Amino acid sequence: MVFAIVLFVVVMALILLSVDRARAVPNWALVAAFLGPALLMLAFGLLYPMFRTIRESFFDRTGANYIGFDNYVTMFSQNEFQIVLRNTLIWVLLVPILATFIGLVYAVLVDRTRFEALAKGLIFLPMAISLVGASIIWRFVYAYRPDQDGVAQIGLINQLLVWIGFEPQQFLLGAPMNTFWLLIVMIWVQTGFAMTVLSAAIKAIPDDIVEAARLDGLTGIRMFRYITVPSIRPALIVVMVTVTMTTLKAFDIVRTMTGGQFETSVVANEFYTQSFRQGNFGLGATLAVFLFVLVIPVVIYQVRQLRLAEEIR
């Protein structure tokens, strides 16, 4: 890290010194001097690994023999990978929608209330915790102990179940519901981000629009539907896309809480498992390429929506 910082300082110093001394440097040389190092690092750190990963997806587990599209056929045809794809689809569909919805409702409810700062701080607090830390916390929440004399429950939910007369449950073992219990962790973390961004967007709505709507008789749900939501649509799109991309890369929660066992694995966890645990680099690269392909339309959609928002302004 120290070497990288020193190298950056030296390179930038040389660039600035050369620009300051040479008065007749053409514009293209200045552009190349400033963008060149960044483009080289981008090519070395992003483009080269991307093309190499795509290439390795057409080879066998050792990377020595070309096998064409066999890895892709395996990914879509074998039952264990179909479960992985199903889980990934469930994550991508539910987490962004629920996190954004809960964050939006909470932002509207606490907007301009007496304890707004405290209420928002409590919801935003999970964002300060790493996903691994959040996963460990929720493992204790879901922890299971047999319902026997002398055995105390250490899991919050199971203790509540015992208090009200129900049997404790093994939340993380039973498929497919265990996937939904894992989703709650990501929603818990991302709701604070959604609430913060959407709350700022709500406060940016011009007061004259709100007053005009109230004069027209809009209140409550109708105000929320016809004024609040259309006014913060760009912020909603940003939150949805950001949470979607974070969800597609969900690895920490699955790895920490179940290790991908009990039919809970997702694509990000599975390509790690195949590459570094099973030693199947070809299939691991295939899963990485598939994840990369999933991200592309999300990014394109966000760019298009941001451009439309700029045109409207």
Side-chain angles (χ1 to χ4, degrees):
M1 181 182 66
V2 173
F3 174 76
I5 295 174
V6 172
L7 180 62
F8 173 78
V9 172
V10 171
V11 170
M12 293 304 301
L14 291 175
I15 292 174
L16 294 174
L17 182 62
S18 61
V19 170
D20 183 63
R21 289 180 175 275
R23 300 296 182 181
V25 178
N27 290 333
W28 66 265
L30 295 177
V31 173
F34 281 98
L35 294 183
L39 293 176
L40 287 175
M41 284 188 260
L42 182 65
F44 180 76
L46 181 63
L47 297 179
Y48 171 71
M50 179 185 71
F51 288 116
R52 181 169 179 176
T53 302
I54 294 174
R55 176 187 175 277
E56 290 182 354
S57 68
F58 295 103
F59 287 77
D60 64 357
R61 63 185 303 115
T62 63
N65 302 311
Y66 177 79
I67 58 174
F69 289 92
D70 288 359
N71 287 323
Y72 292 91
V73 174
T74 300
M75 181 179 64
F76 287 107
S77 61
Q78 290 191 3
N79 183 59
E80 60 177 306
F81 295 110
Q82 290 177 351
I83 293 174
V84 171
L85 298 179
R86 179 204 68 187
N87 292 340
T88 303
L89 180 63
I90 293 174
W91 278 74
V92 172
L93 289 179
L94 294 184
V95 172
I97 294 174
L98 293 177
T100 304
F101 176 76
I102 296 173
L104 175 60
V105 171
Y106 194 85
V108 172
L109 292 178
V110 303
D111 185 47
R112 299 177 184 178
T113 58
R114 183 177 180 182
F115 301 103
E116 179 182 359
L118 176 61
K120 289 182 176 179
L122 293 175
I123 295 298
F124 186 77
L125 188 61
M127 284 293 297
I129 306 173
S130 68
L131 289 179
V132 173
S135 302
I136 294 173
I137 291 171
W138 280 87
R139 279 193 66 177
F140 282 107
V141 174
Y142 294 144
Y144 166 82
R145 293 291 185 274
D147 188 15
Q148 301 174 357
D149 292 336
V151 177
Q153 297 293 330
I154 62 172
L156 175 62
I157 297 180
N158 276 321
Q159 183 62 68
L160 294 176
L161 290 177
V162 171
W163 279 342
I164 60 179
F166 291 96
E167 294 289 329
Q169 303 295 319
Q170 298 189 29
F171 293 100
L172 300 179
L173 299 186
M177 281 304 299
N178 50 5
T179 295
F180 294 94
W181 297 119
L182 296 183
L183 292 179
I184 293 176
V185 183
M186 180 67 82
I187 294 171
W188 181 66
V189 173
Q190 294 299 321
T191 296
F193 164 75
M195 179 271 301
T196 302
V197 176
L198 297 177
S199 178
I202 291 172
K203 291 185 178 298
I205 299 176
D207 292 335
D208 54 349
I209 295 179
V210 177
E211 293 298 329
R214 287 175 178 169
L215 291 176
D216 289 337
L218 291 181
T219 56
I221 299 297
R222 296 179 64 195
M223 174 73 76
F224 175 78
R225 177 181 177 183
Y226 294 109
I227 301 299
T228 303
V229 173
S231 299
I232 64 172
R233 184 173 179 272
L236 281 171
I237 293 173
V238 170
V239 170
M240 284 283 291
V241 171
T242 304
V243 177
T244 299
M245 295 180 67
T246 303
T247 304
L248 281 171
K249 299 180 293 182
F251 169 81
D252 315 64
I253 295 174
V254 175
R255 199 75 206 168
T256 303
M257 299 188 71
T258 64
Q261 302 179 63
F262 318 114
E263 298 184 8
T264 58
S265 187
V266 292
V267 172
N269 177 75
E270 192 62 27
F271 81 71
Y272 169 85
T273 300
Q274 292 297 325
S275 297
F276 302 107
R277 293 300 179 92
Q278 303 295 333
N280 193 339
F281 295 103
L283 190 54
T286 303
L287 291 164
V289 171
F290 179 72
L291 185 62
F292 175 73
V293 171
L294 290 179
V295 171
I296 292 176
V298 177
V299 175
I300 293 176
Y301 175 77
Q302 183 181 25
V303 172
R304 291 187 60 184
Q305 292 301 317
L306 291 176
R307 287 180 178 176
L308 290 175
E310 291 296 329
E311 291 176 0
I312 293 175
R313 291 179 183 178

